[in-house]
Amino acid sequence: MKTNPHQKLFVALLILAQAGVCFGQADPASEPSVLAVAKVLPAVANINTERVVKRTVRDPVEDFYAQFFGYNRVRPRQIRQTLQSLGSGFIVDPAGYIVTNQHVVERAADLKIHVTTDDGKTYNAHYITGDDKTDLAFIKIDAETAFPFINLDNISPNLLGQTVIVVGNAVGYGSSISRGVLSAVKRDITVDDTEYKGLVQTDAAINPGNSGGPVIDLSGRLVGISSAKMAFTPQGVPTQGMGFAIPADVVRDSVNQFKKIAEKQGTPKNQPASTADSSASNAGKLFGLQLQDLNQELSDALGYIRGRGVLITAVEPDSPADEAGLERGLVIYRMGKSETNSVKQIEELLRSVQSGAKLEFTVGVIRTGRQTRQLATLSMTAR
């Protein structure tokens, strides 16, 4: 049977049209996961807390005298220690109310909470209330502005096998994404002697710093709040792909109760109505940097050498640090001729620095193993 030339042309055009449709569908910008992340990311916040505690310490030599001679020549000394934690949360109301894990922002009289939103802005926040039983807490950004938020009126149905996305501040890297499926619901587990009940299970990666961040579905609806990762069973058997989240319905009901408490409390005394945290630290005020001590957990998770440097957790847009090319995840190892191994040390070095002063910073990464060094020395002018 002979084919008409017009028929050949029609078939060729049809093939090209179908190919065009395929190419359009392959556009990454139209992928459901990309659209879902873009929808919720503006409402996700990185949370850094700082609390000063007092500890009593004794000289072991004095303990020796007390044990064998029955007296102490010197009284025990008290020292002040700064404890820091890193986590995630997300805004659930345009007024700046954030829900997170209770263990991320456990209440303390002298607790300082710093919140960094996805646009790089950093704010002070204050603790409102929390529930140890559900491991949920409620905090509020101290700023009078409208914030993007995740709507809890339309939550995910949480169906087994559905795709889920974990969003949060994984090991200090803000706005990190991991993807998996919803593996199970109504799980009761015990992690580090802490009991969790009624959780949803996922194989999406949950890392240190993800705690308190949202787990969403491909429509951008809330599945739950990242809460725990089981690295080992109670019998000591290592596990893979076992992360757990507080289900969305529990989060929704808890937030409704937390809002009632917030309404009764009103504006906290001695709390400024609007204070961006750019002036809360010398590093932020002068260079637009938010810093975090590199503790053992963070160093191991990132693969960085222990006991060296200070981690950059956020860079303010259009700041001297941003213009110099600094990014989250890099480490400051030296400032001028001084090694920098703590945030406190950097703050002390910057205490007398005036606007317009130029300082040299040695920044980069030193990794464990072969101790790979990727360092650069750059100059920044204080604003």
Side-chain angles (χ1 to χ4, degrees):
M1 176 180 177
K2 293 184 179 181
T3 305
N4 189 301
H6 294 290
Q7 290 179 321
K8 290 182 179 180
L9 178 61
F10 175 76
V11 172
L13 290 174
L14 182 62
I15 292 173
L16 286 174
Q18 291 176 339
V21 171
C22 293
F23 291 145
Q25 290 177 342
D27 182 7
S30 65
E31 291 184 16
S33 57
V34 173
L35 297 175
V37 170
K39 181 178 179 181
V40 304
L41 202 55
V44 179
N46 303 333
I47 300 176
N48 290 276
T49 66
E50 182 177 298
R51 181 161 53 101
V52 177
V53 298
K54 293 181 179 179
R55 293 179 57 197
T56 300
V57 296
R58 301 181 63 92
D59 188 331
V61 175
E62 297 302 326
D63 288 341
F64 173 82
Y65 274 95
Q67 181 179 357
F68 290 97
F69 299 101
Y71 69 92
N72 289 323
R73 295 183 299 176
V74 181
R75 291 183 178 180
R77 293 183 298 112
Q78 275 198 338
I79 62 172
R80 293 168 63 86
Q81 184 178 17
T82 300
L83 301 180
Q84 294 181 315
S85 66
L86 189 68
S88 306
F90 58 95
I91 303 170
V92 294
D93 187 280
Y97 289 100
I98 292 176
V99 65
T100 182
N101 282 141
Q102 172 78 333
H103 72 260
V104 171
V105 290
E106 288 189 49
R107 187 171 190 173
D110 54 357
L111 180 68
K112 295 180 181 178
I113 305 175
H114 308 302
V115 172
T116 302
T117 49
D118 184 60
D119 58 7
K121 294 181 179 179
T122 301
Y123 304 89
N124 288 327
H126 67 273
Y127 181 97
I128 295 175
T129 187
D131 184 355
D132 291 330
K133 187 175 181 180
T134 59
D135 192 26
L136 292 174
F138 211 41
I139 64 176
K140 186 182 184 302
I141 297 173
D142 300 325
E144 292 183 349
T145 184
F147 291 92
F149 66 99
I150 294 177
N151 190 347
L152 299 183
D153 293 333
N154 183 22
I155 60 177
S156 176
N158 288 5
L159 304 176
L160 293 182
Q162 73 177 52
T163 299
V164 297
I165 303 170
V166 174
V167 187
N169 189 22
V171 293
Y173 287 114
S175 306
S176 292
I177 311 297
S178 61
R179 175 171 167 161
V181 298
L182 197 153
S183 308
V185 297
K186 297 182 180 180
R187 291 294 201 206
D188 297 340
I189 66 170
T190 300
V191 178
D192 296 332
D193 298 325
T194 301
E195 292 186 1
Y196 299 89
K197 294 185 179 294
L199 302 183
V200 294
Q201 179 185 331
T202 176
D203 65 346
I206 294 178
N207 292 292
N210 276 131
S211 292
V215 181
I216 60 171
D217 63 17
L218 291 182
S219 297
R221 296 174 295 182
L222 186 70
V223 171
I225 286 183
S226 299
S227 184
K229 175 184 179 181
M230 182 181 288
F232 296 91
T233 67
Q235 294 76 30
V237 179
T239 66
Q240 289 185 348
M242 295 192 70
F244 297 89
I246 303 166
D249 58 339
V250 175
V251 177
R252 178 192 58 200
D253 295 343
S254 296
V255 166
N256 289 336
Q257 294 299 318
F258 292 161
K259 284 185 176 180
K260 294 178 182 179
I261 296 174
E263 290 173 359
K264 293 179 181 179
Q265 289 181 355
T267 303
K269 295 180 179 180
N270 302 322
Q271 187 70 49
S274 177
T275 53
D277 194 40
S278 59
S279 61
S281 67
N282 294 321
K285 179 175 65 176
L286 297 172
F287 300 105
L289 286 170
Q290 183 177 335
L291 307 175
Q292 169 80 26
D293 284 341
L294 260 177
N295 57 28
Q296 179 178 327
E297 181 184 33
L298 272 178
S299 297
D300 292 347
L302 294 169
Y304 295 170
I305 189 170
R306 291 184 184 180
R308 297 285 303 279
V310 176
L311 182 68
I312 299 174
T313 58
V315 177
E316 181 184 329
D318 301 322
S319 65
D322 186 30
E323 293 172 356
L326 297 187
E327 298 177 347
R328 298 173 186 168
L330 294 177
V331 179
I332 299 175
Y333 291 102
R334 295 183 68 88
M335 200 180 79
K337 297 181 179 180
S338 302
E339 289 191 357
T340 52
N341 296 321
S342 71
V343 175
K344 180 179 179 181
Q345 185 181 10
I346 288 182
E347 289 299 301
E348 288 295 329
L349 292 170
L350 294 176
R351 187 181 298 277
S352 59
V353 173
Q354 301 294 323
S355 177
K358 288 188 177 181
L359 293 179
E360 286 191 343
F361 293 79
T362 299
V363 182
V365 171
I366 302 178
R367 298 187 181 277
T368 54
R370 298 180 181 178
Q371 292 194 6
T372 305
R373 303 170 70 92
Q374 296 174 326
L375 302 179
T377 299
L378 52 88
S379 178
M380 289 194 293
T381 302
R383 59 187 176 184

